[in-house]
Amino acid sequence: MLADVLQYLRCPICAEPLTETADGAALRCPAGHSFDRARHGYVNLGIGRMPHPGDPAPMVSARAEFLTAGHYQPLSAALAVAAREAYPGRGLVTDVGAGTGHHLAQVLDALPGAAGLAIDVSKAALRRAARAHPRADAVLCDVWRGLPLVDDAVGVLLNVFSPRNGAEFRRVLRPDGAVLVVTPTRHHLAELVDPLRLLRVDPAKDRRVAARLAGFAPAAVDVAEAPLTLGHDEVATVVGMGPSAWHTGPDALAGAIAALPDPLTVTLSVRVTTYRPV
C-alpha cells in the first residue's frame, strides 16, 4: 500500500488508523481488525455482504476496451482540466465509483505528485484499478455504508456517473477541496434513445444532484461534447455503462442494436460540475 494513501485510510469498523503488515499482505488497526490485500492488489474494506456485487468481469473487460479506444477521452480531458483548477495541492485524489480507474489515472497524470485512491464495489473492476496508475491504490467498499477515510482526507473527489453520498463526501473532503461530478446532458447518446428505447435524462437531474450534495455549491461548470463512431459491440457497451442497462431486456436490446447502422455516429455530451463545500 502506498504510504501517501495509507495515511488517510481508517478502519471501516472502528474508525481507528490502519497500518500495513510487514509482508504487505494485510491492513490492521489497533483494535485488531484485519483486512487482507487481494492478490490482484486491492484491499477489501467493505463491511458485511455487499448489497450489489458491481459489474461482472465480462462487462468490465468490455468497458476497459471501450475506454482504452479513446471514446471517452473528451470526458477524461475535461476532468483533468477541472482537477488541475480545483486541487488544493494536498490530500488524496479519490474516485468514488472508479470502475477500472481509467479517469483517475488521467487526472493523476495532470497532477504530478498527487496520490490517488480508486473506490468501487466490483472486484473485477478493482483488479484493473489497482494497477491503473503507479500513484494510485484501490479499495472495495460501499459508499452508502461510509468511506474508509479519515476526515478531511481528500483534495479532489471524482464522481463519474456514480452514486453520491453527500454527507460522506463532505466529511472526507478538505475545506479547500472540491467534488467533480460528471452527469449526462439531454444530448448524451441521443441518437440511441428512441431506437433502443433508452431512459431519457431526467429534466430534474441537476436538482436531484444538488439535493444529494447538500452542503456544497456549484463553483464551475464545463460541458464536454464529441461525436463517437461506434460499432455494434461498442454500442452495447456504452448502453451497459448507463442506467438503461437495468431497464432493458438483453434479448430485446441485442435485437434493436442489430437493426442499427454499423458503424453509427452518436453524441458524447456530459457536464462536469465542480462543487465546493459551503
Side-chain angles (χ1 to χ4, degrees):
M1 175 70 68
L2 295 171
D4 287 343
V5 174
L6 182 59
Q7 65 176 315
Y8 294 112
L9 296 181
R10 74 179 194 181
C11 176
I13 299 172
C14 66
E16 289 293 316
L18 291 170
T19 56
E20 193 168 28
T21 57
D23 60 3
L27 302 183
R28 290 177 182 161
C29 74
H33 303 122
S34 182
F35 307 91
D36 293 338
R37 179 185 285 276
R39 63 186 179 90
H40 297 284
Y42 67 89
V43 178
N44 188 339
L45 294 180
I47 302 175
R49 184 181 180 87
M50 292 294 103
H52 188 283
D55 297 331
M59 185 178 291
V60 169
S61 179
R63 292 184 182 189
E65 291 180 8
F66 183 90
L67 293 169
T68 300
H71 295 303
Y72 271 15
Q73 181 57 32
L75 188 164
S76 294
L79 268 178
V81 170
R84 279 199 302 266
E85 295 175 351
Y87 185 60
R90 298 180 62 187
L92 285 176
V93 178
T94 301
D95 192 345
V96 177
T100 64
H102 180 86
H103 300 305
L104 174 62
Q106 298 208 35
V107 168
L108 289 175
D109 281 342
L111 298 173
L117 180 66
I119 295 176
D120 208 284
V121 296
S122 167
K123 294 181 179 180
L126 289 170
R127 290 168 188 161
R128 295 175 181 267
R131 59 179 189 271
H133 196 278
R135 285 186 274 115
D137 258 307
V139 300
L140 186 152
C141 80
D142 176 13
V143 63
W144 298 115
R145 295 180 179 177
L147 299 172
L149 293 165
V150 301
D151 295 356
D152 303 335
V154 178
V156 166
L157 190 150
L158 311 180
N159 183 253
V160 184
F161 304 141
S162 299
R164 289 167 285 274
N165 184 337
E168 271 297 274
F169 290 1
R170 186 67 182 83
R171 181 186 67 80
V172 303
L173 191 73
R174 290 175 52 86
D176 55 357
V179 176
L180 308 183
V181 177
V182 177
T183 53
T185 77
R186 63 186 179 86
H187 303 295
H188 186 56
L189 307 181
E191 297 84 356
L192 300 177
V193 171
D194 288 335
L196 301 186
R197 298 184 179 181
L198 304 184
L199 297 177
R200 297 182 183 276
V201 176
D202 184 355
K205 178 76 172 180
D206 291 341
R207 292 196 298 274
R208 291 193 294 106
V209 171
R212 285 284 187 189
L213 295 177
F216 293 90
V221 181
D222 183 30
V223 174
E225 289 191 339
L228 308 179
T229 301
L230 307 178
H232 282 178
D233 288 347
E234 293 169 320
V235 169
T237 297
V238 79
V239 171
M241 294 167 71
S244 292
W246 309 105
H247 296 270
T248 307
D251 292 339
L253 180 61
I257 291 175
L260 294 174
D262 188 13
L264 171 70
T265 298
V266 303
T267 302
L268 162 68
S269 180
V270 298
R271 185 177 292 106
V272 180
T273 306
T274 300
Y275 286 88
R276 296 281 190 179
V278 294

